[in-house]
Amino acid sequence: MRQHNRNIRVKIRMPDGSFLDFEGPREVRAILRRLNILENTVLVVRGEELLTPDRLLRDGDTIELIPVISGGCHEVQTL
Amino acid sequence: MKCRLCDSTAIAALPRHNSGFCRTHFIEFFQKQVRKAIRKYAMFSRKDRLLVCVSGGKDSLTLWHVLNESGYDTTGLYIDLGIGGYSRASLEKAESFAEGIKRELIVVDFAREYADIKRLAALSKRTDCSTCGVVKRYFFNRVALEQGFDVVATGHNLDDEAARLLGNILRWQIDLVRKQSPLLDSDEGLVKKVKPLFRLTEQEIAIYAFLNRIDYLREECPMSRGTTGLIYKDILNRIELESPGTKHFFYFQFLERRDDLFSDGAVERKDRPSLCRRCGMPCSEQVCAFCRLTDYLKRSGQTPDEPA
């Protein structure tokens, strides 16, 4: 994993808007693991397409990671 | 991965169901889970007027979308809590969504009428999230009562409910565990509250929102950072990856066994709610938590508008 390296061709748009690059081909699952991101906490999107963790990313792909975990208020149910 | 029901490429992996679905079958799966939740708990019917509480985030807007698509009579409720740019952005999302589906959105401007939530939390020495919870629950019920809604619906999901259950058990807050349910029935002064998305995870809701192009606010509430709820969700998601279905099992088995767990009288039901002597809303003491909160404003010299 290196940042902004022109020789590496799978581009990841991170939730904070920054970009990372990886060498392809590589499974979505492997990239998430490298980034220490749990599979069940993001959507992985390529263009208009949602990708499951087993999908292979190839040179030239750009994907976006959309976080899905929200809220944190451990709101209790009282009157 | 292929769709379990056809040969198309799956767009959603659901390890807890040992399945993957294509777009069409995922949406069918999602709608079926919502129908199942509504039916199992007899949450509401098409004759009922539903007040859908929306924050501009993915869960509440998805809830409104799926209920509206299913032909229910829905109206949105947004409470402006005065959390700076976050509140402005979330209100815009809620308004734009309501306009898109041509449904009414009721807006309560709490920050203008009373105070912003941060200030109120500081004055009352409560946490931000606890203060926010009191205010939201108060207005959900009050607006529903005053405007004749039959049901209040919120976008709580499986992750929310499992995290809440874990938190309550870790602290052995048995009375809160007992009350945890996808349905809180109506009582004197209390409108029925339901959580039709309780069978769906946050990721499944985000997938539905993406597929239906629901324009929600991705930004998180700045006051929720580092809260225990997020820590519990993270722990449950880590377990879930190693052992798919655990989160589902944890919460659903609790719901199945709850009556047995509490049938030995170990936890007594509290008396029926009394009514607040100030505002007339239900409460467990003489004055409700909301009125006690706004007392802090009065004492500080900032007099809020009295509830109408």
Side-chain angles (χ1 to χ4, degrees):
Chain A
M1 177 173 59
R2 284 173 283 175
Q3 292 195 20
H4 304 292
N5 187 324
R6 281 177 297 175
N7 299 322
I8 296 174
R9 287 161 290 219
V10 178
K11 201 172 181 184
I12 322 281
R13 186 173 198 271
M14 300 294 285
D16 65 2
S18 64
F19 283 89
L20 293 176
D21 293 329
F22 282 85
E23 277 185 85
R26 203 179 285 224
E27 277 193 356
V28 168
R29 177 175 286 123
I31 288 182
L32 293 178
R33 205 167 285 156
R34 281 288 303 276
L35 294 171
N36 203 20
I37 291 174
L38 304 180
E39 287 171 23
N40 48 13
T41 63
V42 288
L43 299 188
V44 182
V45 178
R46 181 174 57 194
E48 295 287 297
E49 186 186 20
L50 283 171
L51 303 179
T52 50
D54 61 320
R55 296 291 295 277
L56 203 60
L57 296 171
R58 300 184 186 283
D59 293 346
D61 281 340
T62 297
I63 62 168
E64 183 181 6
L65 304 184
I66 303 175
V68 304
I69 306 301
S70 62
C73 333
H74 189 56
E75 187 190 320
V76 295
Q77 292 179 324
T78 54
L79 295 178
Chain B
M1 176 184 279
K2 296 288 183 191
C3 173
R4 192 179 80 179
L5 300 173
C6 67
D7 206 28
S8 312
T9 301
I11 54 91
L14 279 71
R16 72 184 170 116
H17 293 291
N18 199 22
S19 291
F21 289 119
C22 66
R23 176 196 170 90
T24 305
H25 290 120
F26 176 81
I27 291 174
E28 277 182 19
F29 156 82
F30 191 95
Q31 292 169 337
K32 187 177 168 188
Q33 295 303 315
V34 176
R35 282 198 301 274
K36 208 168 170 178
I38 295 169
R39 196 167 49 237
K40 182 170 172 65
Y41 286 88
M43 290 181 175
F44 44 77
S45 74
R46 285 190 173 72
K47 292 178 188 163
D48 289 321
R49 290 185 68 219
L50 312 186
L51 185 64
V52 183
C53 305
V54 295
S55 64
K58 72 177 189 315
D59 302 308
S60 57
L61 292 187
T62 293
L63 173 65
W64 201 2
H65 183 279
V66 71
L67 294 179
N68 187 57
E69 289 280 300
S70 307
Y72 290 103
D73 178 358
T74 59
T75 298
L77 170 62
Y78 176 88
I79 299 167
D80 190 333
L81 298 157
I83 310 172
Y86 173 79
S87 284
R88 281 191 293 280
S90 59
L91 175 58
E92 276 175 25
K93 294 292 183 191
E95 286 179 330
S96 154
F97 184 84
E99 202 178 313
I101 62 167
K102 298 183 172 53
R103 291 281 172 185
E104 185 193 357
L105 176 71
I106 299 169
V107 178
V108 173
D109 194 343
F110 175 79
R112 191 175 59 79
E113 290 180 30
Y114 292 88
D116 69 80
I117 218 73
K118 195 94 187 161
R119 174 169 155 71
L120 193 53
L123 285 171
S124 62
K125 296 185 172 57
R126 275 175 172 264
T127 64
D128 296 340
C129 291
S130 152
T131 308
C132 178
V134 169
V135 170
K136 285 195 292 190
R137 282 190 298 277
Y138 178 82
F139 281 105
F140 291 170
N141 193 61
R142 183 174 148 193
V143 172
L145 271 181
E146 288 178 350
Q147 303 203 26
F149 288 94
D150 301 294
V151 180
V152 170
T154 59
H156 292 97
N157 54 53
L158 176 57
D159 293 69
D160 294 327
E161 295 306 297
R164 185 197 306 258
L165 180 60
L166 178 62
N168 287 338
I169 290 174
L170 288 174
R171 293 189 182 86
W172 289 115
Q173 291 175 300
I174 296 296
D175 200 42
L176 295 180
V177 173
R178 178 182 60 73
K179 284 197 285 188
Q180 192 172 342
S181 170
L183 176 138
L184 292 175
D185 230 329
S186 55
D187 205 333
E188 189 180 353
L190 280 173
V191 177
K192 183 197 266 191
K193 281 176 76 177
V194 297
K195 302 169 185 173
L197 300 184
F198 81 92
R199 299 185 60 84
L200 294 150
T201 66
E202 291 204 84
Q203 192 177 44
E204 289 157 5
I205 292 168
I207 292 171
Y208 181 92
F210 179 86
L211 296 176
N212 287 284
R213 298 178 187 276
I214 296 171
D215 183 19
Y216 62 87
L217 186 67
R218 286 192 197 172
E219 185 191 335
E220 268 309 299
C221 173
M223 300 201 286
S224 73
R225 288 183 198 122
T227 54
T228 51
L230 285 177
I231 296 166
Y232 300 148
K233 282 183 177 182
D234 181 63
I235 289 163
L236 287 165
N237 278 330
R238 286 176 192 280
I239 297 171
E240 184 70 19
L241 273 185
E242 296 301 323
S243 177
T246 301
K247 200 190 304 177
H248 175 120
F249 191 83
F250 176 56
Y251 184 57
F252 286 24
Q253 282 300 302
F254 159 72
L255 293 178
E256 290 299 317
R257 297 174 187 202
R258 193 179 50 170
D259 289 347
D260 293 338
L261 289 171
F262 298 118
S263 65
D264 61 357
V267 177
E268 293 295 329
R269 277 188 169 276
K270 279 191 171 175
D271 292 338
R272 296 182 69 187
S274 55
L275 298 180
C276 173
R277 65 182 184 194
R278 300 255 188 86
C279 70
M281 289 289 127
C283 64
S284 50
E285 297 173 39
Q286 289 191 329
V287 176
C288 75
F290 180 81
C291 286
R292 278 183 274 133
L293 259 186
T294 53
D295 278 348
Y296 287 100
L297 283 177
K298 290 177 190 163
R299 278 187 228 129
S300 74
Q302 181 179 334
T303 308
D305 296 341
E306 287 295 329

